[in-house]
Amino acid sequence: MKLKTLGVVLIALLAGSSFVFTVALLIVENQFDAAQQSINSVYLKSVLPLQEIDANTKNLRFQLYASFMHNKQLDVSVLHDHPISIHFNIIEAEIKKNQMLWEELKTRPEIPETDLRELRGLYDTFYRDDITPAFTAAKNADWMGIVRPITSSLNNYVEFERVLQDKIASIQLSEQRRYENMRAWQRNFFNLLLVLVLMVLTVATMLAWRTISHHSALLQETNRSLAEANQGLEEKVSARTQALAIANDEMTKLVEHLQATQKQLVQAEKLVALGGLVSGVAHELNTPIGNGLLMATTLSDLASEFETSLGKGMARSTFVKHAAQIKDCCALIEGSLQKAANIIVSFKFIAMDQRNERRQRFELAELLNAILVERHPYFQKARCDVQMRLPEGLALDSYPDSLTMVFNILIDNALTHAFDENSPGSIEIVAREMDQNMVEITFSDDGAGMDPQVLQRIFEPFFTTQMGQGTNGLGMTIAYNIVTGILGGYISVKMASPRGTIVEIVVPKVVLSS
């Protein structure tokens, strides 16, 4: 037998023994309680009524004697200043009680009918020869008529009293024997049950001992086999350890080669990104610089013509025309240079860091309210409704100017790309504390949304869907660099359902200085 099976068998035997023992205890206890209740019932419904009849009968005799004491010829009559009718009322009440108790005893099976008939006959004889004539004489103030029946029928009362006490004692003795028999049966049952439980435990112990001895021998044999196998295993482990060391050296060399290859790939990606960035800057600057160069050449030609015309004699109309053309060229040159300067400034924002920023503690709600108040005319023009849901007292220890720039970029993007002129829209800004250290800010709109291809390139420098319409494609790149660099967080963009765009920004409450 397996040890597991042995354990299950032992547990089953112990559980079964405990269950049987418990059930038997409950059954015996219930039977004992029932017997005890039966004994109490017999005492309450048989013995007590008999005792009460006895007490009532004694009280009848006493009340008749007390009625006799009202004889005015006796010296003690002065002691009985209460009406004799009181005794009459008590006598009548006791007679009624006895009649009711006798009727009740007829329903009790504990008293044999012959015994009850004998008791009732003695009581009726005593009542007829003693109580009735004495009570009648008392009502008629026949004082000697009271004493004569009581004294003459004393033997009747004594016989009734003796038989009554014998019956009470007999009932009590019978119930006491029944109680003792029940206790004896209970003790014998407990002893038998205990012997059975001990026998079960003995059998279980013998079975466990045999099984444990068998498994002990098997365990010794297994240990011997394991010792022999262990010696061979150590030799195999030693050989495999040497092979593993060789393989580890080869793996180390391979990892070093992979790390070197990874560095080369990272460097190549940096060069590709730098090339794309430079290409974008060159493309953006090409138009304003080309326009400025063209206007400078035109201005040079106009200066030569002006010089020639001045030598020949210039009319006033010619002078005014040349002045207007020169003014237009200067304006175009200034506009082109300003556009190029703006592109360069935006390009500088891509590489901005914390060294040029002012860090301070501020409440997020106050910062956003100030931005919305400043941009209110733009919202009104675009018929855009803005809602904010921020927790009270949410404060950050960060860079407010950088965060302001991020929100301005998001607002410009929403007003430029999300909404058209014919339909109103809405923007919602929600903030919540993710934990004790981080804050999540969600900027969402219900505008036109964007294609998945556009979403994949949203953070690329100089990427825009409105090329040549006044945008340079650097806004989201600057926002990404500010959030991930200066503010120490991260930013993501996703499409909303059923339409619109959601921008999620997560930043620390207290930004770490670089």
Side-chain angles (χ1 to χ4, degrees):
M1 183 182 292
K2 295 182 179 180
L3 287 176
K4 184 177 181 180
T5 306
L6 174 63
V8 173
V9 172
L10 291 177
I11 292 174
L13 288 174
L14 292 176
S17 301
S18 301
F19 177 75
V20 172
F21 190 75
T22 303
V23 171
L25 285 178
L26 292 175
I27 293 174
V28 172
E29 188 67 25
N30 289 335
Q31 291 181 349
F32 180 74
D33 290 342
Q36 185 68 38
Q37 292 177 1
S38 175
I39 293 171
N40 294 336
S41 176
V42 170
Y43 182 79
L44 292 174
K45 296 183 179 181
S46 299
V47 176
L48 286 182
L50 291 175
Q51 291 179 344
E52 189 172 354
I53 288 174
D54 184 29
N56 292 342
T57 304
K58 291 179 179 179
N59 193 26
L60 283 174
R61 291 171 55 83
F62 173 77
Q63 294 299 329
L64 289 172
Y65 279 120
S67 300
F68 177 75
M69 295 301 173
H70 281 269
N71 186 359
K72 295 181 180 181
Q73 296 177 0
L74 299 176
D75 295 336
V76 297
S77 61
V78 295
L79 301 176
H80 295 267
D81 54 351
H82 53 274
I84 192 172
S85 60
I86 293 178
H87 300 289
F88 295 164
N89 294 335
I90 295 175
I91 291 171
E92 291 175 351
E94 296 293 358
I95 291 172
K96 290 181 181 180
K97 287 182 183 178
N98 282 348
Q99 292 297 330
M100 293 174 61
L101 290 172
W102 284 117
E103 293 298 325
E104 181 183 349
L105 286 173
K106 289 181 181 180
T107 62
R108 301 307 305 164
E110 291 81 4
I111 304 177
E113 185 177 354
T114 55
D115 295 345
L116 185 61
R117 192 180 303 114
E118 180 184 2
L119 284 173
R120 183 61 186 270
L122 293 174
Y123 175 80
D124 290 342
T125 300
F126 168 71
Y127 178 77
R128 183 186 66 250
D129 298 339
D130 187 351
I131 302 301
T132 301
F135 188 34
T136 303
K139 289 181 178 180
N140 296 328
D142 183 4
W143 309 117
M144 295 306 297
I146 297 174
V147 178
R148 191 182 304 111
I150 295 176
T151 54
S152 63
S153 60
L154 180 61
N155 292 332
N156 294 336
Y157 173 73
V158 172
E159 180 64 17
F160 169 73
E161 181 72 16
R162 182 187 64 78
V163 175
L164 181 63
Q165 294 300 328
D166 289 345
K167 295 304 178 183
I168 292 174
S170 175
I171 293 173
Q172 291 177 334
L173 181 60
S174 175
E175 295 303 320
Q176 181 65 29
R177 287 176 180 174
R178 189 154 71 97
Y179 175 78
E180 291 176 356
N181 291 336
M182 178 60 68
R183 293 297 294 179
W185 180 86
Q186 187 181 28
R187 286 193 297 270
N188 293 334
F189 183 80
F190 283 163
N191 293 334
L192 177 61
L193 191 62
L194 183 60
V195 170
L196 291 176
V197 172
L198 291 176
M199 289 176 63
V200 171
L201 293 178
T202 302
V203 172
T205 304
M206 292 176 62
L207 181 62
W209 177 256
R210 288 186 59 188
T211 305
I212 291 173
S213 300
H214 175 69
H215 280 278
S216 178
L218 292 178
L219 184 61
Q220 292 178 359
E221 180 65 22
T222 303
N223 289 336
R224 185 182 62 80
S225 300
L226 287 175
E228 294 175 355
N230 187 43
Q231 185 176 359
L233 183 62
E234 289 180 354
E235 297 175 357
K236 292 181 181 180
V237 169
S238 178
R240 291 184 180 180
T241 301
Q242 293 178 359
L244 184 61
I246 297 172
N248 190 38
D249 292 338
E250 295 177 356
M251 184 63 70
T252 301
K253 294 179 182 179
L254 180 60
V255 170
E256 292 176 353
H257 177 69
L258 290 175
Q259 289 177 345
T261 304
Q262 184 183 20
K263 291 181 180 179
Q264 293 175 1
L265 290 175
V266 172
Q267 190 65 28
E269 280 193 17
K270 288 182 179 179
L271 292 175
V272 170
L274 182 60
L277 187 61
V278 172
S279 175
V281 172
H283 176 75
E284 290 293 325
L285 291 178
N286 182 56
T287 300
I289 292 177
N291 292 336
L293 182 60
L294 177 61
M295 290 300 103
T297 304
T298 303
L299 186 61
S300 178
D301 293 340
L302 289 174
S304 298
E305 291 179 5
F306 183 78
E307 186 178 359
T308 303
S309 299
L310 189 62
K312 294 180 180 182
M314 180 183 298
R316 178 178 177 84
S317 59
T318 304
F319 178 80
V320 171
K321 180 180 178 181
H322 277 286
Q325 290 177 342
I326 292 172
K327 186 175 181 181
D328 292 339
C329 289
C330 290
L332 289 174
I333 291 172
E334 182 181 3
S336 298
L337 292 178
Q338 184 63 44
K339 185 177 181 181
N342 291 337
I343 293 174
I344 293 173
V345 170
S346 299
F347 185 68
K348 288 171 62 179
F349 277 121
I350 297 177
M352 66 186 302
D353 55 23
Q354 295 176 346
R355 290 174 294 181
N356 300 323
E357 286 291 307
R358 177 175 53 87
R359 173 177 171 177
Q360 67 183 48
R361 182 176 178 84
F362 60 93
E363 287 198 7
L364 182 60
E366 295 180 358
L367 178 72
L368 290 175
N369 282 326
I371 296 174
L372 297 182
V373 169
E374 181 182 354
R375 304 302 298 268
H376 179 70
Y378 299 94
F379 295 135
Q380 193 172 17
K381 180 180 179 182
R383 295 187 298 167
C384 178
D385 180 49
V386 182
Q387 300 291 333
M388 282 200 316
R389 288 191 290 115
L390 308 177
E392 295 183 1
L394 179 57
L396 304 179
D397 188 353
S398 185
Y399 298 96
D401 294 339
S402 296
L403 192 58
T404 300
M405 181 176 292
V406 171
F407 279 106
N408 280 325
I409 291 172
L410 298 180
I411 292 172
D412 288 336
N413 274 359
L415 296 179
T416 303
H417 302 285
F419 310 116
D420 55 29
E421 297 179 355
N422 299 323
S423 60
S426 63
I427 295 174
E428 185 179 38
I429 304 175
V430 180
R432 69 180 184 91
E433 297 181 80
M434 300 178 65
D435 51 36
Q436 295 181 351
N437 302 320
M438 304 300 289
V439 175
E440 180 187 58
I441 306 171
T442 302
F443 183 97
S444 60
D445 63 68
D446 58 354
M450 62 182 72
D451 296 332
Q453 296 81 1
V454 176
L455 186 62
Q456 291 179 356
R457 303 181 60 188
I458 190 68
F459 296 119
E460 288 186 13
F462 301 105
F463 173 75
T464 178
T465 58
Q466 297 184 1
M467 182 66 70
Q469 299 182 22
T471 60
N472 55 25
L474 290 176
M476 292 304 293
T477 305
I478 294 172
Y480 179 84
N481 289 340
I482 291 175
V483 173
T484 59
I486 298 176
L487 301 180
Y490 57 87
I491 181 173
S492 63
V493 182
K494 61 182 180 181
M495 292 181 290
S497 178
R499 55 178 292 173
T501 306
I502 299 176
V503 181
E504 294 180 347
I505 301 173
V506 178
V507 294
K509 290 183 179 180
V510 180
V511 67
L512 299 177
S513 300
S514 59

